[in-house]
Amino acid sequence: MKPLNKKMVRDLWHLRGQVLATMLVVACGVASFVAMKSTYESLVESRDNYYSHYRFADVFAGLKRAPRSAAAEIGAIPGVAEVEARVVAKVTLDLSDLPEPAQGRLVSVPETGAGHLNSLFLLRGRLLEPGDRDEVVISGAFADANRLEPGDQVSAVLNGRLRRLRVVGVALSPEYIYEIRPGDIFPDNRRFGILWMNERAVASVFQMENAFNDVVLTLSPGAGEADVIEKLDRILEPYGGFGAYGRSDQLSHRFVANELSELQVFGTVIPVIFLGVTAFLLHLVLTRLVNVEREQIGLLKSFGYSNADIGLHYLQLSVLAIFGGIVIGIGLGWWTGRGMARLYGEFFHFPILDFSISFLIVVWSFVISLGAAAIGAIAAVRNAVSLPPAESMRPEPPANFHAGFIESTGFQQMLSTESRIAARNLARRPVKALLSAFGISLSIALLFIGFFFFDAIDRIVMVQFDLVQREDVEVGFNEPRPGRAALELAELPGVRRVEPYRVVSARLRFASRSRRVGLIGLSSEGELRRIVNDDLRIVNLPPEGIVLGSTLAESLGVAKGDIVTVEVTEGSRPVREVVIADVPRELLGLSAYMDIRALNRLMMEGGTVSGAFLSVDEDARAELYSKLKRTPAVSGVGLPKAALESFNETIAKTLGTMTWFLIGFACVIAFGVVYNGARIALAERGRELSSLRVLGFTNREIAKMLLGEQAALTLLAIPIGWVLGFATSWLVTRVVDAEIVRLPVVVSVETFIFSAGIVVIAAAVSGIIVARRIRHMDLIAVLKTRE
Amino acid sequence: MKEQRQRSDAQTSEASVNAAADAVFQIRGVTKVYRMGEVEVHALKGVDLELYRGELVVLLGASGSGKSTLLNIIGGLDTPTEGTVVYQDHILTSADESELTRFRREHVGFVFQFYNLIPSLTALENVELITEIAESPISAKEALEMVGLSERIDHFPAQLSGGEQQRVAIARAVAKQPDVLLCDEPTGALDVTTGKLVLKVIEKVNRELGTTTAIITHNAAIAAMADRVIHIGSGRITEIIRNSEKKSPETLVW
């Protein structure tokens, strides 16, 4: 081994504490990079494979009823590759061990068994056989949540008739990777599932022989989606088309895409934070090392080592210092990524979710980590190289302190001597101090973001379940019914209050823009379902005009007072100009509301209702549920409280796991920065501190002086961390698809306290570890040596 | 606190009655063995010595003679392998780490070869650092006046010459009114003129405050300013000379 290399190995060993702290930070950075990027890539690859192999459709449309012959017409639209016409219906399910009714989405499958587009991936059992009228294949998440297996039976109300259906298989479909009820934000697999049934069986139950009410199609390469959608809408209009849409509006696809884009943002932001801190830590350690070794550097130069030799030496040292961290990080990233992929697998149902790390990600891990190391090393190396040999062999001149900013304010009079020492040390190297504080603040920001998610979701849950959905049960009718149908619900056991609602599918147009929406008619004096602004204000429905959620208003480019065109796509398909009465900032979805009477007038119908919200006595629920399970007119039953429970069991747990990771990550950064800072302060000021020990200061007093600086930096980091955390959280709320959920920018006091508190504890622990070294300072050496 | 101060005042006045015959330190049979890897280094080989109240001694010896080890043991920085060191009623040889820290804090003033000032504190603040923790200090300004630096109290160490820094260090050491002032090669890093100035200050402190003072040096010329000169060689006291006449530091030549 060359002597210079031996020196390098020994230097590393000598600096092992600081090297280890830096390595941990690198490892976390690489691990987060590898885990998130690999999970992202794996998800994208799994999704794309799934989509292409199981022929996920490009365009989707629902309609009232069209003859089979219309399908051929659709197939003839230029740009359409394949068409599948089918029958889709909402059904109420009665599961033996679920007291409340569940809701199913019944989808017809051609006699071939698996469907041609959006075809089924069989998990267990078998696919449908032609002819049998009672067989269904059910979706995987629904089967798992309810422990249903092939051979089990499910009771369902199909078009008003109770039928016993035999489960023959459990399957997945690219159409339902995220299996969620339309209108929900959290999946509730216990109470919502997909059932696939033979086309002929479905057709006969729903009187849809030789007809369809849903169509999906794929586009041929190069076809314009908007163009096809327009032509499709024109064909379907006479058949009661609700408006066609592309993948970007397809519920499952949209959720998956949103998650992927979040993952991509976090997969960039978090590694950048870590690698930035890595560069800074290496800068600290190497600058100190070069200062200590300036005499050796001078010596080496006087022997004839070139600047390049010496520069390379320190560069190699910094690379070697983090090399282990990269390797550990890749391993850790693989492990974490696998866990993440498994976690995603619980919500996103892919036939195969293969987690793998691509070679390119490994290469990138090295490139960016080594890049960060080089950035961190560069100033120190330049310093080492630029020292003339004669000068570098003289000891470093004493630390130069002058009366500065602090003195000019007279502020120092208010400080104890210890605090003055800390303040002047910080003021002497303001850039280093700021960078250290910035490093610590990043860990606070990281925690802040993590806890912010809890706050945002708490707020959404609070708004949605306490203020908006105040009903105990939502009952949806299988078709629009006269107003008295709602009154009949009041006769059911335990029902205290009934508030009818009307939903019609419509297209809103303003200038050249248009959006498909469910236009909801609510009773303006209703109490069970309300419109709530993001400042928790309840929005009153005006007797006339339309109320648009701000996300929808933005996408249409309209404001309060504008007039939109409402094209209803069902019933007599009226088209009306309606003034926008209010634009509340709602948290969820793309909603449009009208007073139910105004909507009835617009539809030119009597007191027609689509369903009702019920308030129900706790004691009578079981009885009510069993009645509802068998009520032919009811096609869907929503239970907000059950949905909330299911949310708490699944998503909340996932978020908990993520938060522990973030806490671990943040502690590593805080520990790394404070530990390295204190170690270097101890090395630089060892002589000063030992002198004070000789003069009779106790270990505790010395520790206070040493750590005062780190404590001040940590305190300084807290507000910076909060600001950074808040800014990043705000940015995150912009990244999340606002049409799914508008994450509210609300931060609880706990988030402020915990994000700072955890970092303060981590900093204190690393400070204490360094302070223990004060005991081992050589008091006698200090009397003799200069530095 | 007040009571303590009164008691220590009483002790001082009693001591002055007993005059120079009162031994502040009693050192008996002190040996010190360092283990450096496989090798044992005998730094001190059975030293017996008394230091008396108010006297100025110079411990003279070549480097490696053991004089620093002795000073470190007297100052409570190190403990002997064998033997006893008694300071008034404290037996230093049986004291633990925290008792030694308290001993240094309450009774000892140190002056180092390289001053060892806190670079981030001004001259005044360097002295105040000690007066803050001392029991009955003189004011920091007074201490700096005594060393002739009242004009430069707001300067930082980097803005002071070596001699000035050393005088701040002396002010720092004496401000707490220590019972003993230990100076380890106080002129070692200074030129002759500045060195003499520093010695003058030490002599003045010894004379005016009556602080027992020990200077260790390898510079034989300094011995002339001492009450007693203790020669150390190879870990033993080879000779103790009492100067019949103390020379003023200005008249020293080296």
Side-chain angles (χ1 to χ4, degrees), chain B residues 198-230:
Chain B
V198 166
L199 290 175
K200 220 177 101 185
V201 171
I202 293 174
E203 189 264 347
K204 183 182 172 197
V205 166
N206 173 254
R207 184 161 36 81
E208 291 183 2
L209 301 178
T211 314
T212 307
T213 305
I215 301 172
I216 69 168
T217 182
H218 63 276
N219 183 349
I222 294 175
M225 67 179 279
D227 291 307
R228 288 193 299 154
V229 183
I230 298 155

Side-chain angles (χ1 to χ4, degrees), chain A residues 147 186-187 339-340 342-344 346-347 450 453-454 457-458 461 643-662:
Chain A
R147 295 203 189 81
F186 309 126
M340 276 175 73
R342 209 174 302 142
L343 219 54
Y344 274 118
E346 287 184 26
F347 303 107
F453 267 101
F454 278 102
I457 287 179
D458 272 353
V461 164
L644 180 59
E645 248 165 60
S646 130
F647 161 78
N648 282 332
E649 279 163 24
T650 53
I651 308 238
K653 239 169 53 194
T654 310
L655 271 175
T657 314
M658 297 285 217
T659 307
W660 278 111
F661 268 102
L662 278 180

Side-chain angles (χ1 to χ4, degrees), chain A residues 37-345:
Chain A
K37 286 287 179 217
S38 301
T39 306
Y40 174 80
E41 284 186 357
S42 302
L43 282 175
V44 168
E45 199 184 312
S46 302
R47 181 192 67 178
D48 293 348
N49 278 337
Y50 193 18
Y51 280 0
S52 73
H53 285 118
Y54 289 82
R55 290 182 300 280
F56 182 47
D58 293 309
V59 174
F60 309 78
L63 57 141
K64 184 103 177 121
R65 180 195 175 97
R68 281 270 154 195
S69 57
E73 206 183 326
I74 294 166
I77 297 174
V80 171
E82 283 177 289
V83 182
E84 192 164 306
R86 55 189 195 174
V87 178
V88 173
K90 282 203 285 185
V91 296
T92 305
L93 302 173
D94 178 6
L95 304 172
S96 49
D97 55 354
L98 190 69
E100 60 270 19
Q103 194 178 317
R105 185 174 161 87
L106 187 69
V107 180
S108 76
V109 178
E111 297 293 307
T112 50
H116 195 57
L117 298 182
N118 304 332
S119 58
L120 300 182
F121 173 86
L122 190 67
L123 289 172
R124 296 189 286 279
R126 61 169 173 83
L127 290 174
L128 301 163
E129 276 172 6
D132 198 311
R133 306 215 149 169
D134 294 327
E135 281 183 7
V136 285
V137 168
I138 61 173
S139 55
F142 179 66
D144 290 345
N146 289 294
R147 295 203 189 81
L148 289 170
E149 290 299 329
D152 289 344
Q153 294 210 327
V154 180
S155 297
V157 178
L158 300 187
N159 201 19
R161 271 199 306 230
L162 188 68
R163 289 276 290 267
R164 290 191 78 73
L165 304 173
R166 208 149 35 82
V167 176
V168 296
V170 176
L172 301 176
S173 154
E175 203 178 351
Y176 303 103
I177 291 176
Y178 195 64
E179 212 176 303
I180 188 169
R181 205 167 76 122
D184 285 355
I185 36 162
F186 309 126
D188 181 359
N189 299 131
R190 195 90 215 265
R191 292 169 200 85
F192 175 74
I194 318 295
L195 292 83
W196 290 277
M197 201 174 180
N198 245 324
E199 195 170 274
R200 251 196 272 163
V202 178
S204 80
V205 174
F206 289 89
Q207 283 97 47
M208 289 291 240
E209 282 96 350
N210 283 318
F212 62 94
N213 68 1
D214 196 90
V215 63
V216 293
L217 57 86
T218 49
L219 299 173
S220 41
E225 188 189 276
D227 204 35
V228 170
I229 286 176
E230 203 193 316
K231 294 196 168 79
L232 178 60
D233 275 344
R234 215 170 295 148
I235 293 173
L236 293 180
E237 207 189 307
Y239 305 119
F242 301 140
Y245 53 94
R247 278 186 184 180
S248 64
D249 279 333
Q250 202 267 342
L251 203 55
S252 161
H253 177 87
R254 180 158 207 164
F255 271 94
V256 175
N258 177 53
E259 192 61 40
L260 285 173
S261 67
E262 276 179 48
L263 193 55
Q264 208 173 17
V265 170
F266 281 114
T268 309
V269 170
I270 293 179
V272 163
I273 288 180
F274 277 98
L275 294 172
V277 173
T278 302
F280 172 63
L281 291 183
L282 277 174
H283 170 76
L284 282 187
V285 174
L286 278 187
T287 306
R288 172 66 196 159
L289 189 67
V290 166
N291 277 342
V292 169
E293 295 188 343
R294 48 190 282 139
E295 290 175 46
Q296 299 174 35
I297 294 168
L299 206 65
L300 289 171
K301 281 190 185 173
S302 66
F303 291 161
Y305 277 92
S306 71
N307 282 346
D309 293 333
I310 288 170
L312 199 65
H313 169 70
Y314 285 101
L315 212 56
Q316 276 174 341
L317 192 129
S318 68
V319 165
L320 216 61
I322 65 159
F323 197 84
I326 303 176
V327 174
I328 294 169
I330 290 173
L332 200 65
W334 177 78
W335 181 76
T336 318
R338 238 178 26 154
M340 276 175 73
R342 209 174 302 142
L343 219 54
Y344 274 118

Side-chain angles (χ1 to χ4, degrees), chain A residues 584-663:
Chain A
R585 294 186 304 274
E586 275 199 306
L587 297 182
L588 295 189
L590 288 173
S591 306
Y593 304 93
M594 287 180 81
D595 182 281
I596 187 166
R597 279 165 305 229
L599 184 55
N600 284 151
R601 276 198 299 280
L602 186 144
M603 294 293 291
M604 297 174 295
E605 61 191 15
T608 306
V609 300
S610 305
F613 304 113
L614 311 182
S615 150
V616 177
D617 271 333
E618 187 77 44
D619 302 336
R621 289 217 182 141
E623 209 186 328
L624 174 70
Y625 293 153
S626 81
K627 282 252 159 124
L628 284 175
K629 281 176 177 177
R630 279 143 219 278
T631 307
V634 171
S635 68
V637 174
L639 299 160
K641 281 169 191 78
L644 180 59
E645 248 165 60
S646 130
F647 161 78
N648 282 332
E649 279 163 24
T650 53
I651 308 238
K653 239 169 53 194
T654 310
L655 271 175
T657 314
M658 297 285 217
T659 307
W660 278 111
F661 268 102
L662 278 180
I663 289 177

Side-chain angles (χ1 to χ4, degrees), chain A residues 417 420 424 693 701 783, chain B residues 97 105 112 116 125 132:
Chain A
T417 313
R420 246 178 266 178
R424 289 195 185 130
R693 281 282 291 128
E701 286 163 336
L783 302 179
Chain B
E97 164 82 46
R105 188 178 185 129
F112 310 105
N116 293 19
E125 290 163 347
E132 268 174 23

Side-chain angles (χ1 to χ4, degrees), chain A residues 730-742:
Chain A
W730 182 85
L731 260 177
V732 167
T733 64
R734 304 290 115 170
V735 172
V736 171
D737 185 346
E739 298 191 3
I740 291 175
V741 54
R742 230 160 45 83

